[in-house]
Amino acid sequence: MSENWLDEVQWDETGLVPAIAQETGSGKILMLAWMNREALRLTVEEGKAIYWSRSRQKLWRKGEESGHEQILKSLRLDCDNDVIVMEVEQKGGIACHTGRHSCFYREFQGGEWKAVEPVLKPEAEIYGKKE
Amino acid sequence: MSENWLDEVQWDETGLVPAIAQETGSGKILMLAWMNREALRLTVEEGKAIYWSRSRQKLWRKGEESGHEQILKSLRLDCDNDVIVMEVEQKGGIACHTGRHSCFYREFQGGEWKAVEPVLKPEAEIYGKKE
């Protein structure tokens, strides 16, 4: 497959683009993480969300530890070529490392950020089970 | 109002966070742009999306030219404190400067990015009418 589609993406000065994962069906926004060229290419090749971890400076196959993979349903690019939206099926129904459905679990209410979504599975249980 | 909620946000090295605008009701992702501290504060104060334009290096009151304002319905922060999701009502039903409903109007199909959403209003008409 030609890589023209990858050339069209406007990578930032560090070679990354933000990628939003949106749940298929519900339309809920699960998370935003970053992709470099290889991560985006592999995401398409493998049909699963693969990000670039800025903290660990390496490819991050979402769900590799937790099992909470994101199966790619469709991929979109914005008008400036610098943001990706993925429609995904969220395995386990948990995208967030805190054990919540979505990483956007805090809502601005009365001048504060308040947690408004339940923990579906404790963090220790998510990451402990593979040890 | 205390500004503790603004202190909790993890601004990047340039003082910005990505802010996703999601349409209330439909759940469609309309766009992603950036906010600095002042933009986020004003977004809450004025109840409308106000971004920081990285290209123009100034506050960008969404809709100031086009009339396509985004009325704030709710605001969320993610688990890393570094991404905002706004639920908005999109005035005019057009978020994109190309005259489309969403900026994410291209879908990856057969190795290419293909435009899959119609232009609802030509760009010249959107930006010409105020001149």
Side-chain angles (χ1 to χ4, degrees):
Chain A
M1 185 159 80
S2 149
E3 292 206 341
N4 291 345
W5 66 283
L6 285 168
D7 296 333
E8 282 181 56
V9 176
Q10 293 294 313
W11 311 97
D12 73 9
E13 63 283 358
T14 64
L16 303 177
V17 285
I20 302 163
Q22 182 176 34
E23 188 175 48
T24 189
S26 76
K28 287 196 178 170
I29 299 178
L30 299 172
M31 57 183 282
L32 179 150
W34 296 78
M35 289 185 182
N36 63 5
R37 185 179 175 108
E38 191 186 4
L40 181 54
R41 189 173 55 72
L42 288 173
T43 293
V44 166
E45 273 183 26
E46 302 188 12
K48 295 177 194 173
I50 298 171
Y51 302 101
W52 175 257
S53 169
R54 295 180 303 172
S55 55
R56 289 175 284 157
Q57 288 285 303
K58 62 173 201 166
L59 285 177
W60 166 28
R61 290 168 194 272
K62 173 67 181 163
E64 63 192 343
E65 288 179 63
S66 62
H68 298 152
E69 295 184 327
Q70 296 176 330
I71 309 303
L72 186 67
K73 296 295 178 180
S74 73
L75 200 62
R76 292 200 175 209
L77 183 64
D78 80 339
C79 54
D80 292 331
N81 304 310
D82 61 3
V83 186
I84 297 282
V85 167
M86 289 179 296
E87 189 189 352
V88 301
E89 178 195 332
Q90 178 60 58
K91 291 293 182 187
I94 295 174
C96 187
H97 75 283
T98 65
R100 293 177 174 91
H101 181 57
S102 163
C103 292
F104 296 94
Y105 64 85
R106 278 175 302 166
E107 191 170 307
F108 188 69
Q109 294 180 358
E112 288 178 88
W113 301 107
K114 294 206 175 146
V116 294
E117 288 192 14
V119 172
L120 302 175
K121 199 174 193 177
E123 201 170 333
E125 206 176 308
I126 296 174
Y127 297 99
K129 68 180 179 185
K130 295 274 178 87
E131 282 175 357
Chain B
M1 186 159 74
S2 149
E3 292 206 341
N4 290 346
W5 66 283
L6 286 168
D7 296 334
E8 281 182 56
V9 176
Q10 293 294 313
W11 311 96
D12 73 10
E13 63 284 355
T14 64
L16 303 177
V17 285
I20 302 164
Q22 182 176 32
E23 189 175 48
T24 187
S26 76
K28 287 196 177 169
I29 299 178
L30 299 171
M31 58 184 281
L32 179 150
W34 296 78
M35 289 184 180
N36 62 6
R37 186 178 174 107
E38 190 185 4
L40 181 55
R41 190 174 54 72
L42 288 172
T43 292
V44 166
E45 273 183 27
E46 301 187 12
K48 295 177 193 173
I50 298 172
Y51 302 102
W52 175 257
S53 169
R54 295 180 303 171
S55 55
R56 289 176 284 156
Q57 288 285 304
K58 62 174 201 168
L59 285 176
W60 165 28
R61 289 168 194 272
K62 173 69 181 163
E64 63 192 343
E65 287 180 64
S66 62
H68 298 153
E69 294 182 329
Q70 296 175 331
I71 309 303
L72 186 66
K73 297 294 177 181
S74 73
L75 199 62
R76 291 199 176 210
L77 183 64
D78 80 341
C79 54
D80 292 331
N81 304 311
D82 62 2
V83 185
I84 297 283
V85 167
M86 289 180 295
E87 189 189 351
V88 301
E89 179 195 332
Q90 178 60 59
K91 291 292 181 187
I94 295 174
C96 187
H97 75 283
T98 65
R100 293 177 174 90
H101 181 57
S102 162
C103 292
F104 296 94
Y105 63 85
R106 278 175 302 168
E107 191 169 309
F108 188 69
Q109 294 180 355
E112 289 177 87
W113 301 106
K114 293 205 176 146
V116 295
E117 287 193 14
V119 172
L120 302 174
K121 198 174 192 178
E123 202 170 331
E125 206 176 306
I126 297 173
Y127 296 98
K129 69 179 179 184
K130 295 275 177 86
E131 284 176 356

